[in-house]
């Protein structure tokens, strides 16, 4: 038996409302844990729902340009959100939702906590960094390596994104890594040194409401939520600074 037309219209309307109430957020790998914490808080308090998908900022940028159905982008830089805005993928410019801190971290080698001179230690045979072509934290790490007054003698291992880079060092496949301080907040093991921000370009991270999310109430609500004191507190607790 065919459903009455009025019922079909009601079902279609209801289905559309559910879709509109769920926002898909593309998140830079360094911000994954923070974004999930924000999403959990937002989902519990707003009546909306957001889903987090993560990857390197460069790859997320390419996916969005190829029509990936994301409503928001939380990038690890401002360059790609600005580029997407200029290319017509958003109606308003991005804003800085967080500024990251690059750290040198090792699971086992205490020398790392003394600074970049630790890279003279022959025990650091493998140093992990994120891919500078797609990950802003990788670009920052390369800037630091290029500023060294000596040449690092070991092997530089490149992760696809900062999450993979961290895993190289956490698993022992690399002796040390340049990672985001947010990752170390969640892992109390090992030894850490905060790299002076004078050695790399500021890691200002941009949030962008994409055209795909223009009609999505959850996307707009989460975009506003990012500027709230509640969200800023969570972001700061994960090792970032906010404006």
């Amino acid at each position: 038996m065919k459903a009455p037309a009025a019922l079909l219209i009601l079902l279609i309307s209801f289905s559309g409302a559910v879709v509109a109430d769920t926002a898909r957020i593309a998140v830079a790998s360094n911000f994954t844990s923070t974004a999930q914490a924000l999403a959990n808080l937002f989902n519990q308090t707003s009546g909306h729902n957001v889903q987090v998908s993560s990857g390197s900022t460069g790859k997320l940028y390419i996916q969005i340009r190829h029509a990936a159905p994301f409503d928001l982008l939380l990038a690890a830089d401002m360059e790609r959100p600005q580029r997407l805005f200029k290319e017509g993928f958003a109606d308003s410019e991005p804003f800085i939702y967080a500024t990251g801190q690059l750290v040198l971290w090792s699971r086992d080698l205490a020398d790392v906590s003394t600074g970049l001179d630790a890279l003279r230690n022959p025990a650091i045979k493998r140093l992990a960094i994120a891919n500078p072509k797609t990950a802003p934290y990788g670009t920052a790490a390369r800037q630091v390596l290029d500023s060294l007054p000596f040449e690092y003698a070991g092997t530089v291992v490149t992760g696809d994104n900062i999450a993979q880079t961290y895993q190289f060092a956490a698993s022992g496949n690399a002796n040390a890594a340049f990672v985001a301080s947010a990752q170390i907040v969640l892992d109390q093991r090992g030894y850490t040194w905060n790299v002076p921000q004078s050695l790399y370009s500021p890691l200002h991270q941009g949030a962008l409401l994409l055209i795909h999310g223009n009609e999505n109430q959850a996307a707009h609500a989460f975009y506003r939520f990012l500027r709230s004191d509640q969200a800023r507190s969570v972001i700061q607790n994960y090792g970032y600074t906010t404006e």
Side-chain angles (χ1 to χ4, degrees), residues 49-73:
N49 184 58
V50 296
Q51 299 173 349
V52 173
S53 299
S54 63
S56 67
T57 294
K59 290 195 172 181
L60 293 174
Y61 165 77
I62 292 171
Q63 289 172 15
I64 291 166
R65 292 191 78 251
H66 286 83
F70 293 122
D71 301 303
L72 284 166
L73 171 64

Side-chain angles (χ1 to χ4, degrees), residues 15-183:
S15 174
V18 171
V19 171
D21 205 38
T22 299
R24 292 189 62 192
I25 306 176
V27 178
S29 295
N30 71 284
F31 202 72
T32 304
S33 297
T34 316
Q36 195 58 63
L38 289 168
N40 291 342
L41 178 60
F42 176 79
N43 291 346
Q44 292 167 9
T45 59
S46 70
H48 295 297
N49 184 58
V50 296
Q51 299 173 349
V52 173
S53 299
S54 63
S56 67
T57 294
K59 290 195 172 181
L60 293 174
Y61 165 77
I62 292 171
Q63 289 172 15
I64 291 166
R65 292 191 78 251
H66 286 83
F70 293 122
D71 301 303
L72 284 166
L73 171 64
L74 300 184
D77 63 10
M78 283 293 285
E79 176 189 349
R80 279 141 179 130
Q82 287 282 12
R83 199 184 300 173
L84 287 169
F85 168 68
K86 292 176 181 176
E87 291 169 345
F89 290 89
D91 289 332
S92 58
E93 293 195 57
F95 72 90
I96 298 171
Y97 67 92
T99 298
Q101 167 70 52
L102 185 71
V103 301
L104 179 62
W105 181 77
S106 174
R107 188 188 68 179
D108 304 308
L109 299 176
D111 278 4
V112 159
S113 60
T114 65
L116 292 177
D117 246 14
L119 295 181
R120 297 180 188 270
N121 186 339
I124 303 181
K125 297 177 182 179
R126 291 166 61 85
L127 174 68
I129 70 171
N131 186 347
K133 293 182 179 179
T134 57
Y137 280 79
T139 301
R142 175 48 61 188
Q143 290 171 346
V144 173
L145 288 175
D146 290 344
S147 75
L148 292 176
F150 57 90
E151 185 173 350
Y152 170 63
T155 300
V156 175
V157 182
T158 303
D160 185 57
N161 52 56
I162 200 69
Q164 187 180 62
T165 304
Y166 166 75
Q167 284 301 322
F168 284 158
S171 65
N173 288 322
N175 307 110
F178 283 109
V179 296
S181 63
Q183 294 166 295

